[in-house]
Amino acid sequence: MAQTSNSHKGLRSTVIGIIVSTLLALIKGIGGILGNSYALIADAIESTTDILTSTMLWLGLKWSSRPADHDHPYGHGKMEALVALGVSVAMALAAVVIAVKSIENMITPHKTPEPYTLIILIVVIVTKELLYRFVLKTGAEIKSDAVKADAFHHRSDAITSAAAFIGISIGIIGGEGWEVADDWAALFASAVIMVNAYRILRPAVGELLDEELDPTVNKEVIRLAGSVPQVILVEKCHIRKMGVFKHADLHIWVDKDLTVEEGHAISHRVKDHIQLTLPEFTDVMIHIEPAGHYH
């Protein structure tokens, strides 16, 4: 039930992000074209990548929440990391497009942005910051790197909008000759987007390579396993992330004189205790070692 609830929470926050980003992209795009602001147009491009990547995330969450089957015995959780990888690539491409266009605009003279573009940006900044906090909180609750990545994408949109606001303000206040401030704002926006793309890429690659998770998670699993009666020692504990879920592999010592049936019962108690306390663990594989025989 907890796993299903987590998936629903992630999907809900993603759908909200798609709807809000679509509205903001339209407003910024139209405002940028009519208001002579490439920084605002660049911001609209960034919001468009929000729509595409949030849609990818929605599909990834839907896919990763599917149960294990014959062809995928460990489930489909890795799909979420693949989606996060796609999100980062899309962001990086958007950053390059914005940077190239910004430099072209610096060379080509253009009109000063219209003052009303600032009002649009204030609305965008407030909306995106609120959306960032909502999605990040959801990602933390369900322990999903992909949902957190989507949140940072919204934060990058708020930052690029703030940069556009500053650039347009300088252009309007400075008057003729200061129009280029708008283009510098767009260039800054591309750098912010690129940095956020890396922040999303790094944990996604780590998950795909089964990188070791936060040591505190490992210590907690070892503590829980060791607290079960008749467990003498937890020798090994390896944890890997599968989307919003986790898998653990443990080697535990028990008395060498116990029967196979008794050892099997202990392993089940360990598994049940871990999964009851940490419901994000969908599977716990336990290897029983006879204490005092090989050690």
Side-chain angles (χ1 to χ4, degrees):
M1 287 295 291
Q3 297 165 12
T4 303
S5 177
N6 283 349
S7 296
H8 285 327
K9 285 181 180 179
L11 290 169
R12 183 185 63 183
S13 70
T14 303
V15 169
I16 292 173
I18 291 171
I19 294 171
V20 173
S21 294
T22 300
L23 292 173
L24 293 180
L26 288 171
I27 293 170
K28 288 189 286 188
I30 294 171
I33 293 171
L34 298 179
N36 305 314
S37 172
Y38 184 65
L40 195 52
I41 294 174
D43 214 14
I45 294 173
E46 211 281 334
S47 286
T48 301
T49 64
D50 280 350
I51 299 166
L52 295 174
T53 53
S54 292
T55 301
M56 291 168 60
L57 174 60
W58 184 84
L59 293 171
L61 287 171
K62 287 285 285 185
W63 190 273
S64 65
S65 63
R66 293 173 61 182
D69 54 34
H70 181 267
D71 295 324
H72 306 89
Y74 292 100
H76 301 79
K78 293 293 185 184
M79 179 59 71
E80 187 184 326
L82 287 172
V83 168
L85 191 64
V87 168
S88 65
V89 171
M91 289 178 68
L93 290 174
V96 171
V97 170
I98 292 171
V100 171
K101 190 63 179 176
S102 298
I103 295 171
E104 288 179 356
N105 282 356
M106 289 178 188
I107 300 171
T108 307
H110 56 84
K111 296 179 181 179
T112 301
E114 296 291 339
Y116 65 76
T117 56
L118 295 176
I119 299 174
I120 294 174
L121 286 167
I122 290 174
V123 174
V124 169
I125 292 168
V126 173
T127 303
K128 276 293 187 175
E129 182 62 23
L130 291 174
L131 186 61
Y132 158 75
R133 297 187 182 200
F134 167 70
V135 177
L136 185 65
K137 181 182 178 183
T138 301
E141 286 178 357
I142 67 175
K143 297 180 175 62
S144 169
D145 286 335
V147 174
K148 290 179 184 177
D150 199 37
F152 282 113
H153 208 172
H154 294 307
R155 166 57 71 81
S156 73
D157 201 2
I159 293 173
T160 55
S161 295
F165 183 89
I166 294 171
I168 293 172
S169 297
I170 293 173
I172 293 172
I173 296 171
E176 188 176 348
W178 287 89
E179 302 89 350
V180 72
D182 178 63
D183 305 315
W184 278 107
L187 189 61
F188 172 77
S190 70
V192 172
I193 296 170
M194 189 65 77
V195 170
N196 278 289
Y198 173 76
R199 292 179 66 181
I200 294 171
L201 175 70
R202 182 64 187 85
V205 172
E207 182 176 338
L208 289 171
L209 296 177
D210 287 330
E211 191 174 65
E212 188 66 30
L213 298 177
D214 183 347
T216 57
V217 177
N218 197 288
K219 289 179 181 178
E220 178 63 8
V221 171
I222 291 174
R223 186 191 70 78
L224 290 171
S227 67
V228 174
Q230 295 185 284
V231 172
I232 297 173
L233 177 71
V234 180
E235 182 184 18
K236 296 178 183 178
C237 177
H238 298 300
I239 300 172
R240 54 180 166 171
K241 195 169 181 298
M242 302 287 288
V244 297
F245 310 126
K246 295 183 179 72
H247 288 200
D249 295 296
L250 301 173
H251 283 213
I252 61 175
W253 292 12
V254 299
D255 191 321
K256 66 181 179 64
D257 295 323
L258 294 177
T259 65
V260 172
E261 184 177 4
E262 289 171 327
H264 180 70
I266 293 170
S267 70
H268 267 287
R269 287 198 294 272
V270 171
K271 179 176 180 177
D272 292 343
H273 185 45
I274 292 172
Q275 289 185 311
L276 183 64
T277 309
L278 303 172
E280 67 268 24
F281 279 87
T282 57
D283 197 13
V284 180
M285 297 293 293
I286 299 172
H287 177 74
I288 297 294
E289 296 276 6
H293 186 66
Y294 296 111
H295 307 283

